[in-house]
Amino acid sequence: MTGAMDGRAEDRGRVFQASGDQHISEHHHYGAEADPAGGPDSVRRPAVGRPPVVLRDRADVLERLRAGVRAGRCGEVYVLYGMGGCGKTAVAYTFFQFAVDACGRVGLWVSASDRASLRAGMLAVAADRGAADGELLAARNGLRAAADLVWQYLDRSAEPWLLVLDNADQPEILGDGSWLRTSARGTVVVTTRRSAAHWWPGAELQHIGVLPGADAARVLRDLAPHSGTEEEAAQIAERLGRLPLALTLAGGFLSQQVLDPWTMETYGRRLDEGERVELIDQGADALSRKDPRHLVGLTWQLTLDAFEARGLPEATALLRLLARFAPEPLPLSLLNRADLDAVLPPARCETALRALLDQSLTELVDVGARCVHSHGVLLDSVAAATPAGTAPVLDSTAVRLLDVAVPERPDAGPHDPLLRLLVPHALALLRRIGAPATAADALEVATRLAVALHRTGDYLSAWETARTAADLGERRLGAEHRAVLAARSRAGRALFRLGRYPEAEPLLTEVRTAQDRLFGADDPDTLDSAHGLQLVLGNLRRRDEALALLRATVAGRRRTLGAAHPLTLRSRSSLLVLLSAAEVTVEEGGALLDLPDACDRLLGPDHTVTLGARHNRAWALYQLGRFAAADAELRLVTEAYRRRFGPDYPIALSAQQLLARTRSALGHPDEGTALMADVVTRRERGLGPGHPFTLASRELLSTFTSGQPHPPGA
């Protein structure tokens, strides 16, 4: 190969045309010190707060499930389906505990409610079963098929296991990447509201419906034994449609009345006097007028009325705020904020939360981070019944709480499972919000969350979050709103990182063209899209177009942001990679090679932009044949990358591979060969022996061991 782009295939990390990995502020790492079995991605603990003390009328289902694991059978897939609130998760939890405690199975619990949660949970399963950090990192980066990695380790598991995929109400998510498979080493249980057989080929389907009358009455008696007779409990249970969720809410209410306790007879009378609360059970079939899910609204409304009577209006306000978010674990840290003050006094949040917990309107779950978790049917019902006049304040408060939780200026950092927990809530807000101004704020937060995911190397989640947020925002704001275009630009950047250049190029071109027309060529958003587009063009071997666009981006950022701004320095640094050896020496009057020193003075030696500029300069020096200078630079860069990003991160291996070249060029072939052999080993472990990056590294290693020359550009 010849020309400015030669040789960057191996030494620029993630893509063969190396300019991609020199997008300086987007170097990512996965901390090798992180414990993959801990943190919010932990899969050994079911995301269930308070399981039922007694599980009524599920004996036949449980016996069929238990018989399989008791006999040591594996390879089965069971699908527990039914309407929201019927207790599918409770059945799965009870079976999970039996399989773990009585049969010695390894229990693995994953939320399958959305793509980000499913992928994160399944990769945590792979980590639990022995996957190395480098392999997990490669899967998050999109460098290897994540589902294949997970099932490879499930199939190799030394111990038999039980895997629960909870709340799989969008079965198409499981089909993307073939997440649902069978294995000779374990059993899979799925809970879902979707029963169509074509979603579950080869699985045994088990319907979980409402309870029989006697068992439904016993649930109320279990929860509130002193509130009435069995006959009265049976009447209330029938009035509630024998739906376990409604029964739990009613029993929780009755059991907590102290000063003026209600009897079941009183509760039944108030139910008859109440108005039906409409709701949409998202993910399930349409409701009939007699569907018991309609009655969930009556049960919680009676509880909220009692809160008001007891002088606890904050509990009502908090429940309505929770209903702006998704029915997924919500980190408690979001509620420990002064930003609550528009909805309820922050000092009263603890009391309000305890009241909701006491009445079973929400529950605490520990998924590595302490979270509050509410049922989807309940939240849909509460949101539908929230007075229209209070919705704007609830929406703006929810956006502010999420805004504080997302890093203000996301930077390269280790994999952060907490970010994944925020994704469904950011998207739920965009679905709930009606006011355009608040929707724009929510979209900006969701886009920043996508950036944060991107910069931890979770490119698939970043792309899905940005793409979905842009689609939702467009419905409220229109296709040419600044925030919508920014979200689409971020989706294009993630596609680039995933190596999907043919998709990224037209998307970024379209976005940049619209931004140029609407905001001007020197607008920061336009320039950001331009920087991303030149990376794609360079990797599509359209080097002249990429270079012209990069030069224009540098000039625009100088005018708009100033010469010392990190983004300006980052774009200038990219020139060190895109230019040929001859061009580097004359660009900017020869000053470009001094750029890393300027970054050091302006930003500090450990700033991400500074490290990237040093890496880029090392490449330029190597191309110029100045091996000693390149080697000295690379020693510093390699050590910093290993310290910050871990030894398996692509950019760290890229630097090490270039260091192997400089060591060999300086007359230390044994050291160069050892460095290259380590790169090959790590890439084989992380990417597999047949991955193009592994093959390229192995080919370069062969030139070291054979004594063939490997000059700059080779």
Side-chain angles (χ1 to χ4, degrees):
M1 296 185 291
T2 60
M5 298 299 289
D6 288 356
R8 286 194 290 279
E10 307 93 14
D11 294 313
R12 310 322 302 156
R14 172 172 199 306
V15 292
F16 283 108
Q17 295 295 331
S19 57
D21 263 79
Q22 295 315 298
H23 184 356
I24 302 305
S25 72
E26 303 200 10
H27 295 221
H28 317 301
H29 69 287
Y30 177 75
E33 71 281 1
D35 177 7
D41 279 348
S42 177
V43 288
R44 291 295 188 99
R45 293 170 293 197
V48 176
R50 293 184 293 183
V53 176
V54 179
L55 191 65
R56 298 293 183 183
D57 183 53
R58 307 303 186 194
D60 290 345
V61 176
L62 283 171
E63 182 53 35
R64 281 194 292 276
L65 295 173
R66 288 168 174 165
V69 296
R70 193 184 291 121
R73 293 199 303 269
C74 292
E76 295 107 339
V77 175
Y78 300 99
V79 175
L80 309 180
Y81 72 92
M83 68 177 71
C86 67
K88 303 180 295 295
T89 296
V91 174
Y93 175 87
T94 303
F95 176 47
F96 182 96
Q97 293 302 119
F98 173 82
V100 172
D101 297 339
C103 299
R105 293 276 181 118
V106 171
L108 306 164
W109 189 284
V110 172
S111 169
S113 61
D114 61 87
R115 286 181 173 85
S117 298
L118 174 64
R119 184 183 307 106
M122 291 296 275
L123 286 176
V125 165
D128 183 275
R129 296 293 82 206
D133 288 347
E135 295 172 300
L136 298 169
L137 175 62
R140 292 191 182 97
N141 286 172
L143 295 175
R144 67 180 302 167
D148 290 347
L149 174 69
V150 174
W151 283 97
Q152 170 187 320
Y153 276 94
L154 284 172
D155 289 339
R156 292 177 180 176
S157 176
E159 305 108 329
W161 44 261
L162 170 68
L163 171 63
V164 175
L165 301 176
D166 193 30
N167 292 325
D169 298 328
Q170 302 177 68
E172 59 273 16
I173 293 175
L174 294 175
D176 294 344
S178 300
W179 288 107
L180 181 59
R181 309 182 190 182
T182 60
S183 172
R185 297 301 298 150
T187 301
V188 180
V189 173
V190 181
T191 72
T192 182
R193 306 180 199 184
R194 305 286 290 277
S195 60
H198 69 271
W199 291 118
W200 318 110
E204 180 178 329
L205 274 67
Q206 175 62 56
H207 179 247
I208 307 296
V210 299
L211 296 172
D215 288 293
R218 291 192 189 100
V219 169
L220 285 176
R221 293 278 291 167
D222 290 338
L223 295 170
H226 305 298
S227 298
T229 65
E230 290 187 10
E231 182 180 354
E232 290 170 332
Q235 292 173 350
I236 299 298
E238 286 297 328
R239 182 69 182 84
L240 294 175
R242 294 178 275 118
L243 183 70
L245 174 60
L247 296 169
T248 299
L249 295 177
F253 173 85
L254 290 168
S255 67
Q256 294 297 321
Q257 306 306 303
V258 178
L259 295 178
D260 186 19
W262 287 26
T263 63
M264 289 190 185
E265 188 275 332
T266 303
Y267 193 86
R269 186 173 66 252
R270 294 296 295 272
L271 282 176
D272 292 334
E273 295 170 356
E275 296 182 2
R276 183 183 299 273
V277 179
E278 297 297 333
L279 65 100
I280 299 174
D281 183 6
Q282 296 181 359
D285 298 329
L287 309 189
S288 68
R289 297 299 299 175
K290 295 183 179 180
D291 196 296
R293 283 167 289 179
H294 283 300
L295 299 168
V296 172
L298 293 177
T299 60
W300 64 253
Q301 189 59 59
L302 291 179
T303 303
L304 298 189
D305 291 343
F307 286 152
E308 297 283 347
R310 289 163 50 194
L312 278 174
E314 298 88 358
T316 300
L318 180 58
L319 183 61
R320 287 172 174 163
L321 178 63
L322 293 177
R324 312 319 286 175
F325 294 108
E328 295 297 321
L330 179 72
L332 281 173
S333 56
L334 265 73
L335 302 178
N336 190 23
R337 302 285 184 186
D339 305 84
L340 281 170
D341 57 357
V343 173
L344 73 157
R348 297 285 291 169
C349 185
E350 175 83 16
T351 301
L353 181 57
R354 287 189 178 279
L356 297 181
L357 291 169
D358 287 344
Q359 302 291 336
S360 299
L361 290 168
T362 193
E363 60 182 357
L364 293 178
V365 296
D366 187 349
V367 291
R370 295 179 66 242
C371 296
V372 61
H373 189 196
S374 305
H375 199 286
V377 173
L378 172 65
L379 294 185
D380 289 340
S381 175
V382 172
T386 296
T390 65
V393 174
L394 292 168
D395 288 339
S396 60
T397 299
V399 172
R400 284 199 304 274
L401 293 173
L402 197 61
D403 181 45
V404 174
V406 178
E408 183 178 359
R409 292 183 178 85
D411 195 9
H415 169 62
D416 185 357
L418 183 63
L419 293 175
R420 190 268 304 164
L421 290 178
L422 302 178
V423 170
H425 303 295
L427 300 180
L429 277 177
L430 284 168
R431 293 186 179 96
R432 299 259 194 229
I433 292 172
T438 310
D441 291 340
L443 180 53
E444 290 174 1
V445 173
T447 302
R448 200 168 78 247
L449 176 57
V451 174
L453 290 164
H454 189 125
R455 292 179 179 169
T456 65
D458 192 349
Y459 301 130
L460 277 170
S461 294
W463 170 62
E464 290 165 353
T465 301
R467 178 193 58 170
T468 306
D471 290 344
L472 293 170
E474 184 173 327
R475 299 175 192 173
R476 299 281 192 274
L477 306 170
E480 293 193 335
H481 191 280
R482 178 183 286 275
V484 174
L485 290 170
R488 298 239 180 261
S489 180
R490 177 48 51 185
R493 301 286 282 275
L495 284 171
F496 162 70
R497 287 292 164 186
L498 292 169
R500 295 162 62 174
Y501 311 136
E503 297 172 71
E505 190 270 334
L507 176 57
L508 286 171
T509 298
E510 180 183 357
V511 169
R512 175 176 170 267
T513 300
Q515 291 170 327
D516 193 343
R517 172 171 51 83
L518 294 168
F519 316 131
D522 284 352
D523 182 84
D525 285 359
T526 308
L527 293 167
D528 189 64
S529 296
H531 186 95
L533 179 57
Q534 63 85 21
L535 295 171
V536 178
L537 293 173
N539 284 276
L540 288 172
R541 298 184 181 273
R542 292 157 61 180
R543 185 258 184 184
D544 292 344
E545 294 176 70
L547 182 56
L549 185 54
L550 180 56
R551 282 172 168 155
T553 303
V554 170
R557 282 182 162 170
R558 272 193 171 122
R559 287 190 296 268
T560 302
L561 304 174
H565 194 281
L567 292 179
T568 305
L569 297 171
R570 181 182 67 180
S571 290
R572 288 181 65 200
S573 173
S574 294
L575 287 168
L576 287 164
V577 175
L578 204 55
L579 293 169
S580 68
E583 290 169 330
V584 165
T585 60
V586 298
E587 189 79 11
E588 300 183 1
L592 196 58
L593 287 171
D594 296 327
L595 177 61
D597 302 318
C599 292
D600 195 322
R601 291 193 305 273
L602 294 167
L603 306 176
D606 292 327
H607 195 282
T608 308
V609 171
T610 303
L611 290 174
R614 290 194 178 281
H615 189 176
N616 291 357
R617 179 167 68 179
W619 171 253
L621 292 171
Y622 179 75
Q623 290 280 71
L624 289 166
R626 296 166 58 179
F627 302 133
D631 187 77
E633 193 92 85
L634 277 168
R635 285 180 174 276
L636 296 174
V637 170
T638 302
E639 175 56 32
Y641 281 167
R642 290 177 68 91
R643 183 179 68 251
R644 288 189 56 186
F645 302 157
D648 293 311
Y649 197 79
I651 202 66
L653 292 175
S654 168
Q656 181 173 324
Q657 185 158 289
L658 184 54
L659 179 61
R661 289 187 170 198
T662 61
R663 297 310 296 159
S664 182
L666 288 171
H668 305 288
D670 291 344
E671 187 177 351
T673 299
L675 288 168
M676 269 310 305
D678 184 60
V679 170
V680 171
T681 298
R682 292 182 184 278
R683 283 186 166 166
E684 284 181 341
R685 184 170 60 232
L687 304 175
H691 193 280
F693 296 172
T694 307
L695 295 175
S697 293
R698 191 182 296 118
E699 182 180 353
L700 183 58
L701 174 61
S702 70
T703 68
F704 280 70
T705 56
S706 67
Q708 300 175 24
H710 40 87

